[in-house]
Amino acid sequence: MPLNPNELSEAVQPIHRARSMPAGFYTDPAIFAAEREALFLRHWFFLCRDEQLPNPGDYRAFDSPGGPIVALRGADGILRVFANYCRHRGSILLEGHGNTGAKVMCPYHAWSYLTDGRLYGCPDMKDAEGFDRRENGMVALDCQSWAGFVFARFTHEGPSLQEHLGDLPDRFASHKPQDMRCTWTVTLEPDCNWKLILENAMETYHTGIVHRDTVGAQTSRTLPTKGNWICIQVISGRSIATLSDSVPPFDKIEGLDDDARMGTYFTVALPTMQFAVAQDCLWWLNVTPISAGKSRLEIGGCFPKARLSQPDFEERAAPYYDRWEKVGREDVGILEKQQKALGSALYRPGPLSGRDDMVQALGVWVLDHLGLRPEG
Ligand code: FES
Ligand SMILES: [Fe+2]
C-alpha cells in the first residue's frame, strides 16, 4: 500500500486530534489510478446544463478520466452521452461544441451515425464477415439529470443519480434550480490534485487570508446530509456571489426557506462536483481530474431565468462573473503552492482545526471508496 498506515490512522481520528492526509493521497500516481477505477469510472460526474444543448444535433465534447466523451441531443430531443470514438478504427468523432446536423460523420473514413448513436453509413463494408451495423453504434454512457444539471457515468451499475444525491435536491428545492439558466463559464487548469480544489471550498478558515481583497473573512456552519454529498453554509444575509457595491445585486429568489435565507451553501456532490448556492443565484465548480498533480476546473454561473430578460441583466451580472473568476484564481494560486509543498521529501501531515471538518470528511469518503480506511 503506497500510503503510510500510521499517517492514515491519524487522518481518520476525531477531528480535534486528526491530522491531514498523507502526501501520497495527493501526489502518488498509484493512488490516482486507484481513484480512477474506484471513483471516476463508477460514480456520476457532472457535464453541463441541459440548456447548453438546446437543439437536436447540438453536441459538446469533453475530456474525462474515462477518455473523450460527447453529449449529443438526438433528433428525438433526448440528450445522450457517448464515448467519443468511431467504431471502425477509433477516431474522435466530435470536437469542441456545435451542431452535427442529422448525422455525425467520422472524419477518418466517413462512417456516419444518427444523433441517437445508431450507425448509419459505413462505406465498403459489404464484404466484412459477420459485420452487423446494429452492433456498431456509438457506445453510450449512463446519463441522468437533476434540475437541468446533466450527469453521466461510465458504468451501467449502481444507484440512480437521485439515489446518489440523497437529500441534496430537498436542500435546494426553494432555490428552484430547475428554473435557473447558465449564463457564464470559465475554465482553469490548476497544477494540483483534484481533491485540493474540493477541500478548499469546504472550509472558510482560509478566506480572510487568501481572499482578503475579495470576499474576506467568513464564518460557516456544517449541515447534516444524507447521500453522497457534504455541505457547509457561509452565514451572510447579503449574497456573497457579488462584491460590487456600485452595481446592486439581483433580488433574492422568491420563496426561499428559512435556512436558505441565512447564507450561501457550499457543497461537494461527491466525488467531483461542487454547487455553491446563494440567495440570488448559484454557481458550480466542476473538477475534472487529469493526473495526480493536474486538474481542470470549470466554474459556471446560473441565474433564475426571469432575470435574463431584465434590460440591465448583463450589467448586473458582470460583477458576479468578475467575483467568481477572481476568487477562483486566488484559490488556484494557493492550491498550486500547496501541491508543490506536498512533494517535499520531509512532508508530514499537519494537525487539523475544527474548521477543517469537511476537509476531513471528503478525504474519509475517498478512503472508504478506495478500501483504504484503517480499521477502528
Ligand atoms: S475510424 Fe471512423 S470511419 Fe474509420
Ligand atoms: Fe477559497
Side-chain angles (χ1 to χ4, degrees):
M1 182 171 61
L3 302 178
N4 177 309
N6 293 334
E7 291 183 351
L8 273 184
S9 130
E10 287 176 336
V12 300
Q13 294 298 311
I15 187 73
H16 292 293
R17 48 171 203 274
R19 302 181 82 86
S20 55
M21 290 288 167
F25 192 55
Y26 306 98
T27 60
D28 190 329
I31 292 292
F32 188 82
E35 289 171 339
R36 182 176 182 273
E37 294 304 317
L39 302 180
F40 313 144
L41 299 185
R42 277 179 202 268
H43 286 275
W44 293 103
F45 58 97
F46 172 71
L47 286 181
C48 59
R49 285 280 306 173
D50 187 78
E51 70 268 16
Q52 292 179 289
L53 298 147
N55 302 310
D58 283 353
Y59 70 88
R60 296 182 89 86
F62 303 87
D63 288 322
S64 81
I69 57 176
V70 62
L72 174 60
R73 175 85 61 196
D76 54 5
I78 295 174
L79 187 63
R80 298 177 179 83
V81 179
F82 299 102
N84 188 5
Y85 76 92
C86 176
R87 296 296 300 278
H88 174 223
R89 281 172 52 214
S91 169
I92 292 270
L93 291 169
L94 292 162
E95 292 177 292
H97 58 93
N99 188 286
T100 65
K103 312 248 172 24
V104 175
M105 175 82 78
C106 177
Y108 201 171
H109 314 93
W111 282 27
S112 62
Y113 301 83
L114 299 174
T115 52
D116 60 8
R118 279 178 294 162
L119 179 61
Y120 178 77
C122 41
D124 300 327
M125 291 298 293
K126 284 179 226 49
D127 299 338
E129 276 180 33
F131 172 75
D132 182 345
R133 88 175 63 204
R134 288 169 304 185
E135 290 168 1
N136 286 279
M138 292 165 70
V139 176
L141 282 74
D142 270 8
C143 174
Q144 291 179 13
S145 301
W146 161 67
F149 290 95
V150 179
F151 286 73
R153 182 173 63 181
F154 276 94
T155 165
H156 298 302
E157 285 159 23
S160 66
L161 177 64
Q162 199 183 340
E163 287 168 313
H164 181 76
L165 294 177
D167 64 351
L168 181 149
D170 301 336
R171 171 62 73 183
F172 302 129
S174 75
H175 293 88
K176 302 186 270 293
Q178 69 280 7
D179 293 338
M180 300 256 189
R181 294 294 175 267
C182 172
T183 58
W184 173 88
T185 63
V186 70
T187 301
L188 310 176
E189 292 223 339
D191 287 322
C192 71
N193 185 265
W194 64 280
K195 298 183 292 294
L196 294 185
I197 304 171
L198 301 165
E199 292 172 358
N200 173 268
M202 294 309 290
E203 51 94 350
T204 53
Y205 196 6
H206 74 280
T207 58
I209 306 99
V210 173
H211 308 304
R212 79 174 69 74
D213 300 326
T214 51
V215 290
Q218 300 170 329
T219 54
S220 59
R221 58 174 183 153
T222 297
L223 293 169
T225 54
K226 293 194 188 84
N228 292 288
W229 71 293
I230 53 177
C231 184
I232 63 169
Q233 186 181 34
V234 175
I235 306 302
S236 163
R238 180 194 189 281
S239 170
I240 60 162
T242 175
L243 308 170
S244 172
D245 289 324
S246 53
V247 184
F250 287 110
D251 292 343
K252 292 184 179 158
I253 295 161
E254 301 77 23
L256 287 182
D257 65 38
D258 290 347
D259 270 2
R261 278 201 295 272
M262 285 175 60
T264 299
Y265 298 108
F266 287 85
T267 70
V268 180
L270 293 153
T272 50
M273 173 62 167
Q274 304 200 278
F275 295 101
V277 188
Q279 295 99 325
D280 52 349
C281 65
L282 70 76
W283 69 104
W284 73 71
L285 295 112
N286 184 31
V287 181
T288 304
I290 296 175
S291 65
K294 194 155 186 66
S295 307
R296 187 173 312 109
L297 168 63
E298 183 192 62
I299 311 172
C302 299
F303 293 97
K305 66 176 180 228
R307 306 281 182 271
L308 275 59
S309 51
Q310 289 183 208
D312 58 353
F313 173 76
E314 287 302 335
E315 184 198 342
R316 300 274 291 276
Y320 288 76
Y321 306 154
D322 186 49
R323 174 253 188 259
W324 289 330
E325 181 161 356
K326 240 186 220 157
V327 173
R329 288 188 186 280
E330 287 170 349
D331 283 324
V332 164
I334 196 69
L335 297 175
E336 290 184 334
K337 292 185 208 293
Q338 188 183 10
Q339 183 74 28
K340 232 180 200 173
L342 285 162
S344 166
L346 297 179
Y347 185 88
R348 297 292 176 267
L352 295 182
S353 154
R355 299 185 72 178
D356 293 315
D357 60 338
M358 287 297 102
V359 171
Q360 185 193 40
L362 196 150
V364 169
W365 188 91
V366 173
L367 287 185
D368 269 340
H369 286 77
L370 296 180
L372 290 178
R373 185 180 185 159
E375 303 283 321

